[in-house]
PDB file of all heavy atoms in Angstrom:
ATOM      1  N   PHE A   1      -1.896 -12.852   8.164  1.00  0.00           N
ATOM      2  CA  PHE A   1      -1.692 -14.303   8.100  1.00  0.00           C
ATOM      3  C   PHE A   1      -1.967 -14.947   9.456  1.00  0.00           C
ATOM      4  O   PHE A   1      -2.694 -15.950   9.550  1.00  0.00           O
ATOM      5  CB  PHE A   1      -0.260 -14.608   7.653  1.00  0.00           C
ATOM      6  CG  PHE A   1       0.247 -15.944   8.104  1.00  0.00           C
ATOM      7  CD1 PHE A   1      -0.097 -17.102   7.431  1.00  0.00           C
ATOM      8  CD2 PHE A   1       1.062 -16.033   9.225  1.00  0.00           C
ATOM      9  CE1 PHE A   1       0.359 -18.347   7.862  1.00  0.00           C
ATOM     10  CE2 PHE A   1       1.534 -17.271   9.664  1.00  0.00           C
ATOM     11  CZ  PHE A   1       1.170 -18.429   8.979  1.00  0.00           C
ATOM     12  N   ALA A   2      -1.387 -14.389  10.517  1.00  0.00           N
ATOM     13  CA  ALA A   2      -1.545 -14.988  11.847  1.00  0.00           C
ATOM     14  C   ALA A   2      -2.980 -14.907  12.329  1.00  0.00           C
ATOM     15  O   ALA A   2      -3.507 -15.860  12.929  1.00  0.00           O
ATOM     16  CB  ALA A   2      -0.602 -14.302  12.831  1.00  0.00           C
ATOM     17  N   ASP A   3      -3.631 -13.777  12.077  1.00  0.00           N
ATOM     18  CA  ASP A   3      -5.037 -13.647  12.480  1.00  0.00           C
ATOM     19  C   ASP A   3      -5.915 -14.640  11.723  1.00  0.00           C
ATOM     20  O   ASP A   3      -6.850 -15.224  12.285  1.00  0.00           O
ATOM     21  CB  ASP A   3      -5.536 -12.229  12.209  1.00  0.00           C
ATOM     22  CG  ASP A   3      -5.093 -11.244  13.272  1.00  0.00           C
ATOM     23  OD1 ASP A   3      -4.594 -11.681  14.322  1.00  0.00           O
ATOM     24  OD2 ASP A   3      -5.236 -10.027  13.032  1.00  0.00           O
ATOM     25  N   THR A   4      -5.614 -14.818  10.442  1.00  0.00           N
ATOM     26  CA  THR A   4      -6.405 -15.725   9.613  1.00  0.00           C
ATOM     27  C   THR A   4      -6.255 -17.167  10.060  1.00  0.00           C
ATOM     28  O   THR A   4      -7.243 -17.893  10.228  1.00  0.00           O
ATOM     29  CB  THR A   4      -5.989 -15.597   8.136  1.00  0.00           C
ATOM     30  OG1 THR A   4      -6.242 -14.263   7.693  1.00  0.00           O
ATOM     31  CG2 THR A   4      -6.767 -16.574   7.260  1.00  0.00           C
ATOM     32  N   LEU A   5      -5.023 -17.578  10.270  1.00  0.00           N
ATOM     33  CA  LEU A   5      -4.750 -18.991  10.527  1.00  0.00           C
ATOM     34  C   LEU A   5      -4.961 -19.382  11.983  1.00  0.00           C
ATOM     35  O   LEU A   5      -5.465 -20.478  12.275  1.00  0.00           O
ATOM     36  CB  LEU A   5      -3.312 -19.322  10.109  1.00  0.00           C
ATOM     37  CG  LEU A   5      -3.019 -20.801   9.824  1.00  0.00           C
ATOM     38  CD1 LEU A   5      -3.895 -21.319   8.684  1.00  0.00           C
ATOM     39  CD2 LEU A   5      -1.546 -20.993   9.484  1.00  0.00           C
ATOM     40  N   PHE A   6      -4.602 -18.488  12.901  1.00  0.00           N
ATOM     41  CA  PHE A   6      -4.633 -18.860  14.315  1.00  0.00           C
ATOM     42  C   PHE A   6      -5.597 -18.027  15.148  1.00  0.00           C
ATOM     43  O   PHE A   6      -5.891 -18.379  16.286  1.00  0.00           O
ATOM     44  CB  PHE A   6      -3.223 -18.741  14.917  1.00  0.00           C
ATOM     45  CG  PHE A   6      -2.217 -19.641  14.265  1.00  0.00           C
ATOM     46  CD1 PHE A   6      -1.282 -19.125  13.385  1.00  0.00           C
ATOM     47  CD2 PHE A   6      -2.211 -21.008  14.509  1.00  0.00           C
ATOM     48  CE1 PHE A   6      -0.353 -19.947  12.764  1.00  0.00           C
ATOM     49  CE2 PHE A   6      -1.289 -21.847  13.894  1.00  0.00           C
ATOM     50  CZ  PHE A   6      -0.352 -21.312  13.018  1.00  0.00           C
ATOM     51  N   GLY A   7      -6.095 -16.931  14.585  1.00  0.00           N
ATOM     52  CA  GLY A   7      -6.984 -16.065  15.352  1.00  0.00           C
ATOM     53  C   GLY A   7      -8.444 -16.206  15.005  1.00  0.00           C
ATOM     54  O   GLY A   7      -9.295 -15.545  15.618  1.00  0.00           O
ATOM     55  N   GLY A   8      -8.731 -17.028  14.007  1.00  0.00           N
ATOM     56  CA  GLY A   8     -10.123 -17.231  13.631  1.00  0.00           C
ATOM     57  C   GLY A   8     -10.750 -16.028  12.948  1.00  0.00           C
ATOM     58  O   GLY A   8     -11.977 -15.916  12.890  1.00  0.00           O
ATOM     59  N   THR A   9      -9.909 -15.117  12.429  1.00  0.00           N
ATOM     60  CA  THR A   9     -10.421 -13.921  11.769  1.00  0.00           C
ATOM     61  C   THR A   9      -9.775 -13.798  10.397  1.00  0.00           C
ATOM     62  O   THR A   9      -8.691 -13.221  10.256  1.00  0.00           O
ATOM     63  CB  THR A   9     -10.101 -12.657  12.597  1.00  0.00           C
ATOM     64  OG1 THR A   9     -10.578 -12.828  13.930  1.00  0.00           O
ATOM     65  CG2 THR A   9     -10.759 -11.432  11.978  1.00  0.00           C
ATOM     66  N   PRO A  10     -10.401 -14.355   9.369  1.00  0.00           N
ATOM     67  CA  PRO A  10      -9.807 -14.263   8.021  1.00  0.00           C
ATOM     68  C   PRO A  10      -9.626 -12.811   7.596  1.00  0.00           C
ATOM     69  O   PRO A  10     -10.564 -12.011   7.686  1.00  0.00           O
ATOM     70  CB  PRO A  10     -10.835 -14.978   7.137  1.00  0.00           C
ATOM     71  CG  PRO A  10     -11.585 -15.870   8.067  1.00  0.00           C
ATOM     72  CD  PRO A  10     -11.657 -15.127   9.376  1.00  0.00           C
ATOM     73  N   ARG A  11      -8.403 -12.480   7.171  1.00  0.00           N
ATOM     74  CA  ARG A  11      -8.098 -11.099   6.782  1.00  0.00           C
ATOM     75  C   ARG A  11      -7.323 -11.076   5.475  1.00  0.00           C
ATOM     76  O   ARG A  11      -6.317 -11.755   5.336  1.00  0.00           O
ATOM     77  CB  ARG A  11      -7.281 -10.397   7.871  1.00  0.00           C
ATOM     78  CG  ARG A  11      -8.046 -10.080   9.146  1.00  0.00           C
ATOM     79  CD  ARG A  11      -7.141  -9.382  10.142  1.00  0.00           C
ATOM     80  NE  ARG A  11      -6.483  -8.234   9.524  1.00  0.00           N
ATOM     81  CZ  ARG A  11      -5.337  -7.717   9.962  1.00  0.00           C
ATOM     82  NH1 ARG A  11      -4.723  -8.276  10.983  1.00  0.00           N
ATOM     83  NH2 ARG A  11      -4.805  -6.669   9.361  1.00  0.00           N
ATOM     84  N   ARG A  12      -7.817 -10.288   4.541  1.00  0.00           N
ATOM     85  CA  ARG A  12      -7.093 -10.011   3.307  1.00  0.00           C
ATOM     86  C   ARG A  12      -6.388  -8.670   3.452  1.00  0.00           C
ATOM     87  O   ARG A  12      -6.861  -7.797   4.163  1.00  0.00           O
ATOM     88  CB  ARG A  12      -8.045  -9.956   2.104  1.00  0.00           C
ATOM     89  CG  ARG A  12      -8.806 -11.245   1.835  1.00  0.00           C
ATOM     90  CD  ARG A  12      -9.785 -11.025   0.685  1.00  0.00           C
ATOM     91  NE  ARG A  12     -10.513 -12.236   0.338  1.00  0.00           N
ATOM     92  CZ  ARG A  12     -11.642 -12.637   0.918  1.00  0.00           C
ATOM     93  NH1 ARG A  12     -12.171 -11.892   1.899  1.00  0.00           N
ATOM     94  NH2 ARG A  12     -12.243 -13.749   0.545  1.00  0.00           N
ATOM     95  N   VAL A  13      -5.294  -8.511   2.741  1.00  0.00           N
ATOM     96  CA  VAL A  13      -4.538  -7.262   2.785  1.00  0.00           C
ATOM     97  C   VAL A  13      -4.747  -6.502   1.486  1.00  0.00           C
ATOM     98  O   VAL A  13      -4.637  -7.066   0.393  1.00  0.00           O
ATOM     99  CB  VAL A  13      -3.034  -7.537   3.007  1.00  0.00           C
ATOM    100  CG1 VAL A  13      -2.228  -6.248   2.907  1.00  0.00           C
ATOM    101  CG2 VAL A  13      -2.817  -8.197   4.366  1.00  0.00           C
ATOM    102  N   ASP A  14      -5.063  -5.218   1.605  1.00  0.00           N
ATOM    103  CA  ASP A  14      -5.242  -4.358   0.447  1.00  0.00           C
ATOM    104  C   ASP A  14      -3.868  -3.875  -0.018  1.00  0.00           C
ATOM    105  O   ASP A  14      -3.145  -3.217   0.722  1.00  0.00           O
ATOM    106  CB  ASP A  14      -6.116  -3.164   0.830  1.00  0.00           C
ATOM    107  CG  ASP A  14      -6.360  -2.212  -0.336  1.00  0.00           C
ATOM    108  OD1 ASP A  14      -5.979  -2.552  -1.476  1.00  0.00           O
ATOM    109  OD2 ASP A  14      -6.927  -1.125  -0.097  1.00  0.00           O
ATOM    110  N   HIS A  15      -3.501  -4.217  -1.249  1.00  0.00           N
ATOM    111  CA  HIS A  15      -2.211  -3.818  -1.803  1.00  0.00           C
ATOM    112  C   HIS A  15      -2.344  -2.651  -2.780  1.00  0.00           C
ATOM    113  O   HIS A  15      -1.401  -2.357  -3.521  1.00  0.00           O
ATOM    114  CB  HIS A  15      -1.556  -4.997  -2.525  1.00  0.00           C
ATOM    115  CG  HIS A  15      -1.138  -6.114  -1.610  1.00  0.00           C
ATOM    116  ND1 HIS A  15      -1.989  -7.123  -1.233  1.00  0.00           N
ATOM    117  CD2 HIS A  15       0.045  -6.374  -1.005  1.00  0.00           C
ATOM    118  CE1 HIS A  15      -1.349  -7.963  -0.443  1.00  0.00           C
ATOM    119  NE2 HIS A  15      -0.114  -7.529  -0.280  1.00  0.00           N
ATOM    120  N   THR A  16      -3.486  -1.988  -2.783  1.00  0.00           N
ATOM    121  CA  THR A  16      -3.728  -0.992  -3.827  1.00  0.00           C
ATOM    122  C   THR A  16      -3.483   0.443  -3.384  1.00  0.00           C
ATOM    123  O   THR A  16      -3.154   1.286  -4.219  1.00  0.00           O
ATOM    124  CB  THR A  16      -5.174  -1.096  -4.343  1.00  0.00           C
ATOM    125  OG1 THR A  16      -6.089  -0.891  -3.257  1.00  0.00           O
ATOM    126  CG2 THR A  16      -5.423  -2.478  -4.951  1.00  0.00           C
ATOM    127  N   LEU A  17      -3.655   0.753  -2.127  1.00  0.00           N
ATOM    128  CA  LEU A  17      -3.475   2.130  -1.658  1.00  0.00           C
ATOM    129  C   LEU A  17      -2.281   2.147  -0.707  1.00  0.00           C
ATOM    130  O   LEU A  17      -2.392   1.768   0.456  1.00  0.00           O
ATOM    131  CB  LEU A  17      -4.736   2.638  -0.959  1.00  0.00           C
ATOM    132  CG  LEU A  17      -4.717   4.117  -0.558  1.00  0.00           C
ATOM    133  CD1 LEU A  17      -4.576   5.010  -1.785  1.00  0.00           C
ATOM    134  CD2 LEU A  17      -5.974   4.477   0.219  1.00  0.00           C
ATOM    135  N   VAL A  18      -1.139   2.596  -1.209  1.00  0.00           N
ATOM    136  CA  VAL A  18       0.118   2.423  -0.487  1.00  0.00           C
ATOM    137  C   VAL A  18       0.822   3.769  -0.328  1.00  0.00           C
ATOM    138  O   VAL A  18       1.483   4.243  -1.260  1.00  0.00           O
ATOM    139  CB  VAL A  18       1.042   1.437  -1.223  1.00  0.00           C
ATOM    140  CG1 VAL A  18       2.336   1.229  -0.446  1.00  0.00           C
ATOM    141  CG2 VAL A  18       0.328   0.102  -1.448  1.00  0.00           C
ATOM    142  N   PRO A  19       0.697   4.428   0.830  1.00  0.00           N
ATOM    143  CA  PRO A  19       1.496   5.633   1.061  1.00  0.00           C
ATOM    144  C   PRO A  19       2.971   5.244   1.160  1.00  0.00           C
ATOM    145  O   PRO A  19       3.320   4.220   1.758  1.00  0.00           O
ATOM    146  CB  PRO A  19       0.978   6.147   2.410  1.00  0.00           C
ATOM    147  CG  PRO A  19      -0.288   5.395   2.685  1.00  0.00           C
ATOM    148  CD  PRO A  19      -0.158   4.087   1.976  1.00  0.00           C
ATOM    149  N   THR A  20       3.825   6.063   0.580  1.00  0.00           N
ATOM    150  CA  THR A  20       5.256   5.750   0.653  1.00  0.00           C
ATOM    151  C   THR A  20       6.059   7.024   0.554  1.00  0.00           C
ATOM    152  O   THR A  20       5.571   8.066   0.115  1.00  0.00           O
ATOM    153  CB  THR A  20       5.663   4.754  -0.452  1.00  0.00           C
ATOM    154  OG1 THR A  20       6.982   4.281  -0.208  1.00  0.00           O
ATOM    155  CG2 THR A  20       5.628   5.419  -1.822  1.00  0.00           C
ATOM    156  N   ALA A  21       7.319   6.925   0.983  1.00  0.00           N
ATOM    157  CA  ALA A  21       8.230   8.057   0.932  1.00  0.00           C
ATOM    158  C   ALA A  21       9.555   7.604   0.345  1.00  0.00           C
ATOM    159  O   ALA A  21       9.959   6.449   0.508  1.00  0.00           O
ATOM    160  CB  ALA A  21       8.447   8.650   2.322  1.00  0.00           C
ATOM    161  N   VAL A  22      10.219   8.519  -0.335  1.00  0.00           N
ATOM    162  CA  VAL A  22      11.578   8.299  -0.812  1.00  0.00           C
ATOM    163  C   VAL A  22      12.443   9.345  -0.115  1.00  0.00           C
ATOM    164  O   VAL A  22      12.227  10.548  -0.284  1.00  0.00           O
ATOM    165  CB  VAL A  22      11.676   8.455  -2.338  1.00  0.00           C
ATOM    166  CG1 VAL A  22      13.116   8.266  -2.811  1.00  0.00           C
ATOM    167  CG2 VAL A  22      10.761   7.458  -3.028  1.00  0.00           C
ATOM    168  N   PHE A  23      13.411   8.888   0.671  1.00  0.00           N
ATOM    169  CA  PHE A  23      14.164   9.809   1.511  1.00  0.00           C
ATOM    170  C   PHE A  23      15.426  10.321   0.832  1.00  0.00           C
ATOM    171  O   PHE A  23      16.521  10.261   1.369  1.00  0.00           O
ATOM    172  CB  PHE A  23      14.459   9.160   2.860  1.00  0.00           C
ATOM    173  CG  PHE A  23      13.215   8.957   3.673  1.00  0.00           C
ATOM    174  CD1 PHE A  23      12.698   7.682   3.862  1.00  0.00           C
ATOM    175  CD2 PHE A  23      12.541  10.031   4.210  1.00  0.00           C
ATOM    176  CE1 PHE A  23      11.534   7.494   4.597  1.00  0.00           C
ATOM    177  CE2 PHE A  23      11.374   9.860   4.933  1.00  0.00           C
ATOM    178  CZ  PHE A  23      10.868   8.588   5.131  1.00  0.00           C
ATOM    179  N   THR A  24      15.226  10.822  -0.389  1.00  0.00           N
ATOM    180  CA  THR A  24      16.226  11.669  -0.994  1.00  0.00           C
ATOM    181  C   THR A  24      16.158  13.021  -0.287  1.00  0.00           C
ATOM    182  O   THR A  24      15.321  13.241   0.587  1.00  0.00           O
ATOM    183  CB  THR A  24      15.929  11.851  -2.486  1.00  0.00           C
ATOM    184  OG1 THR A  24      14.527  12.182  -2.643  1.00  0.00           O
ATOM    185  CG2 THR A  24      16.222  10.582  -3.266  1.00  0.00           C
ATOM    186  N   THR A  25      17.042  13.940  -0.683  1.00  0.00           N
ATOM    187  CA  THR A  25      16.920  15.311  -0.188  1.00  0.00           C
ATOM    188  C   THR A  25      16.912  16.227  -1.398  1.00  0.00           C
ATOM    189  O   THR A  25      17.925  16.365  -2.072  1.00  0.00           O
ATOM    190  CB  THR A  25      18.094  15.663   0.747  1.00  0.00           C
ATOM    191  OG1 THR A  25      18.136  14.745   1.840  1.00  0.00           O
ATOM    192  CG2 THR A  25      17.925  17.080   1.291  1.00  0.00           C
ATOM    193  N   PRO A  26      15.744  16.820  -1.740  1.00  0.00           N
ATOM    194  CA  PRO A  26      14.485  16.777  -1.000  1.00  0.00           C
ATOM    195  C   PRO A  26      13.803  15.420  -1.113  1.00  0.00           C
ATOM    196  O   PRO A  26      14.081  14.661  -2.040  1.00  0.00           O
ATOM    197  CB  PRO A  26      13.643  17.860  -1.675  1.00  0.00           C
ATOM    198  CG  PRO A  26      14.159  17.888  -3.091  1.00  0.00           C
ATOM    199  CD  PRO A  26      15.635  17.632  -2.981  1.00  0.00           C
ATOM    200  N   GLU A  27      12.925  15.153  -0.141  1.00  0.00           N
ATOM    201  CA  GLU A  27      12.254  13.857  -0.116  1.00  0.00           C
ATOM    202  C   GLU A  27      10.951  13.884  -0.892  1.00  0.00           C
ATOM    203  O   GLU A  27      10.427  14.949  -1.225  1.00  0.00           O
ATOM    204  CB  GLU A  27      12.010  13.414   1.320  1.00  0.00           C
ATOM    205  CG  GLU A  27      10.928  14.155   2.063  1.00  0.00           C
ATOM    206  CD  GLU A  27      10.871  13.751   3.535  1.00  0.00           C
ATOM    207  OE1 GLU A  27      11.948  13.551   4.156  1.00  0.00           O
ATOM    208  OE2 GLU A  27       9.750  13.630   4.069  1.00  0.00           O
ATOM    209  N   LEU A  28      10.456  12.680  -1.149  1.00  0.00           N
ATOM    210  CA  LEU A  28       9.169  12.504  -1.832  1.00  0.00           C
ATOM    211  C   LEU A  28       8.183  11.851  -0.878  1.00  0.00           C
ATOM    212  O   LEU A  28       8.549  10.955  -0.112  1.00  0.00           O
ATOM    213  CB  LEU A  28       9.316  11.579  -3.046  1.00  0.00           C
ATOM    214  CG  LEU A  28       9.719  12.153  -4.397  1.00  0.00           C
ATOM    215  CD1 LEU A  28      11.096  12.769  -4.314  1.00  0.00           C
ATOM    216  CD2 LEU A  28       9.690  11.059  -5.449  1.00  0.00           C
ATOM    217  N   GLY A  29       6.933  12.292  -0.970  1.00  0.00           N
ATOM    218  CA  GLY A  29       5.854  11.606  -0.286  1.00  0.00           C
ATOM    219  C   GLY A  29       4.715  11.426  -1.265  1.00  0.00           C
ATOM    220  O   GLY A  29       4.265  12.405  -1.881  1.00  0.00           O
ATOM    221  N   VAL A  30       4.258  10.201  -1.455  1.00  0.00           N
ATOM    222  CA  VAL A  30       3.218   9.938  -2.450  1.00  0.00           C
ATOM    223  C   VAL A  30       2.228   8.912  -1.918  1.00  0.00           C
ATOM    224  O   VAL A  30       2.569   8.050  -1.109  1.00  0.00           O
ATOM    225  CB  VAL A  30       3.818   9.425  -3.777  1.00  0.00           C
ATOM    226  CG1 VAL A  30       4.806  10.432  -4.345  1.00  0.00           C
ATOM    227  CG2 VAL A  30       4.496   8.084  -3.599  1.00  0.00           C
ATOM    228  N   VAL A  31       1.004   9.016  -2.408  1.00  0.00           N
ATOM    229  CA  VAL A  31      -0.006   8.005  -2.138  1.00  0.00           C
ATOM    230  C   VAL A  31      -1.065   8.094  -3.232  1.00  0.00           C
ATOM    231  O   VAL A  31      -1.410   9.181  -3.684  1.00  0.00           O
ATOM    232  CB  VAL A  31      -0.659   8.172  -0.746  1.00  0.00           C
ATOM    233  CG1 VAL A  31      -1.333   9.522  -0.596  1.00  0.00           C
ATOM    234  CG2 VAL A  31      -1.641   7.041  -0.461  1.00  0.00           C
ATOM    235  N   GLY A  32      -1.532   6.943  -3.673  1.00  0.00           N
ATOM    236  CA  GLY A  32      -2.565   6.915  -4.698  1.00  0.00           C
ATOM    237  C   GLY A  32      -1.996   6.809  -6.090  1.00  0.00           C
ATOM    238  O   GLY A  32      -0.829   6.477  -6.299  1.00  0.00           O
ATOM    239  N   LEU A  33      -2.832   7.115  -7.067  1.00  0.00           N
ATOM    240  CA  LEU A  33      -2.483   6.923  -8.463  1.00  0.00           C
ATOM    241  C   LEU A  33      -1.590   8.039  -8.993  1.00  0.00           C
ATOM    242  O   LEU A  33      -1.704   9.199  -8.575  1.00  0.00           O
ATOM    243  CB  LEU A  33      -3.752   6.868  -9.317  1.00  0.00           C
ATOM    244  CG  LEU A  33      -4.739   5.729  -9.007  1.00  0.00           C
ATOM    245  CD1 LEU A  33      -5.990   5.886  -9.859  1.00  0.00           C
ATOM    246  CD2 LEU A  33      -4.096   4.368  -9.228  1.00  0.00           C
ATOM    247  N   THR A  34      -0.705   7.691  -9.937  1.00  0.00           N
ATOM    248  CA  THR A  34      -0.006   8.697 -10.711  1.00  0.00           C
ATOM    249  C   THR A  34      -0.976   9.274 -11.737  1.00  0.00           C
ATOM    250  O   THR A  34      -2.041   8.705 -12.011  1.00  0.00           O
ATOM    251  CB  THR A  34       1.200   8.094 -11.437  1.00  0.00           C
ATOM    252  OG1 THR A  34       0.723   7.148 -12.418  1.00  0.00           O
ATOM    253  CG2 THR A  34       2.140   7.376 -10.472  1.00  0.00           C
ATOM    254  N   GLU A  35      -0.603  10.400 -12.331  1.00  0.00           N
ATOM    255  CA  GLU A  35      -1.464  10.989 -13.357  1.00  0.00           C
ATOM    256  C   GLU A  35      -1.638  10.028 -14.526  1.00  0.00           C
ATOM    257  O   GLU A  35      -2.739   9.878 -15.065  1.00  0.00           O
ATOM    258  CB  GLU A  35      -0.874  12.311 -13.842  1.00  0.00           C
ATOM    259  CG  GLU A  35      -1.738  13.020 -14.871  1.00  0.00           C
ATOM    260  CD  GLU A  35      -1.209  14.380 -15.257  1.00  0.00           C
ATOM    261  OE1 GLU A  35      -0.278  14.877 -14.576  1.00  0.00           O
ATOM    262  OE2 GLU A  35      -1.724  14.959 -16.238  1.00  0.00           O
ATOM    263  N   GLU A  36      -0.555   9.356 -14.897  1.00  0.00           N
ATOM    264  CA  GLU A  36      -0.611   8.447 -16.034  1.00  0.00           C
ATOM    265  C   GLU A  36      -1.548   7.275 -15.754  1.00  0.00           C
ATOM    266  O   GLU A  36      -2.350   6.875 -16.604  1.00  0.00           O
ATOM    267  CB  GLU A  36       0.799   7.939 -16.360  1.00  0.00           C
ATOM    268  CG  GLU A  36       1.781   9.028 -16.782  1.00  0.00           C
ATOM    269  CD  GLU A  36       2.217   9.937 -15.640  1.00  0.00           C
ATOM    270  OE1 GLU A  36       2.298   9.465 -14.485  1.00  0.00           O
ATOM    271  OE2 GLU A  36       2.477  11.128 -15.904  1.00  0.00           O
ATOM    272  N   ALA A  37      -1.460   6.705 -14.540  1.00  0.00           N
ATOM    273  CA  ALA A  37      -2.320   5.584 -14.185  1.00  0.00           C
ATOM    274  C   ALA A  37      -3.763   6.028 -14.001  1.00  0.00           C
ATOM    275  O   ALA A  37      -4.702   5.314 -14.370  1.00  0.00           O
ATOM    276  CB  ALA A  37      -1.801   4.914 -12.915  1.00  0.00           C
ATOM    277  N   ALA A  38      -3.955   7.197 -13.423  1.00  0.00           N
ATOM    278  CA  ALA A  38      -5.315   7.688 -13.187  1.00  0.00           C
ATOM    279  C   ALA A  38      -6.068   7.893 -14.493  1.00  0.00           C
ATOM    280  O   ALA A  38      -7.264   7.593 -14.595  1.00  0.00           O
ATOM    281  CB  ALA A  38      -5.265   8.989 -12.389  1.00  0.00           C
ATOM    282  N   LEU A  39      -5.386   8.387 -15.507  1.00  0.00           N
ATOM    283  CA  LEU A  39      -6.046   8.654 -16.780  1.00  0.00           C
ATOM    284  C   LEU A  39      -6.569   7.393 -17.454  1.00  0.00           C
ATOM    285  O   LEU A  39      -7.522   7.451 -18.238  1.00  0.00           O
ATOM    286  CB  LEU A  39      -5.087   9.380 -17.726  1.00  0.00           C
ATOM    287  CG  LEU A  39      -4.971  10.889 -17.510  1.00  0.00           C
ATOM    288  CD1 LEU A  39      -3.853  11.469 -18.355  1.00  0.00           C
ATOM    289  CD2 LEU A  39      -6.303  11.576 -17.827  1.00  0.00           C
ATOM    290  N   LEU A  40      -5.947   6.253 -17.158  1.00  0.00           N
ATOM    291  CA  LEU A  40      -6.416   5.010 -17.754  1.00  0.00           C
ATOM    292  C   LEU A  40      -7.794   4.608 -17.217  1.00  0.00           C
ATOM    293  O   LEU A  40      -8.549   3.914 -17.896  1.00  0.00           O
ATOM    294  CB  LEU A  40      -5.406   3.893 -17.469  1.00  0.00           C
ATOM    295  CG  LEU A  40      -4.016   4.070 -18.086  1.00  0.00           C
ATOM    296  CD1 LEU A  40      -3.097   2.934 -17.649  1.00  0.00           C
ATOM    297  CD2 LEU A  40      -4.117   4.127 -19.614  1.00  0.00           C
TER     298      LEU A  40
END
């Protein structure tokens, strides 16, 4: 947002590829499509 509005560099954000973790014990680490979503 700041780069676009005040830095003269329009930037869009990709919301599709999101690495994430769930800090249960044991923990989860995931990125990309689930099997169910990938099959579609």
Side-chain angles (χ1 to χ4, degrees):
F1 155 80
D3 281 348
T4 298
L5 202 60
F6 299 105
T9 306
R11 289 180 52 204
R12 299 176 178 87
V13 174
D14 180 8
H15 293 86
T16 59
L17 186 61
V18 182
T20 191
V22 178
F23 292 108
T24 48
T25 302
E27 73 187 39
L28 273 62
V30 302
V31 59
L33 299 175
T34 66
E35 182 175 349
E36 297 72 32
L39 278 172
L40 296 176

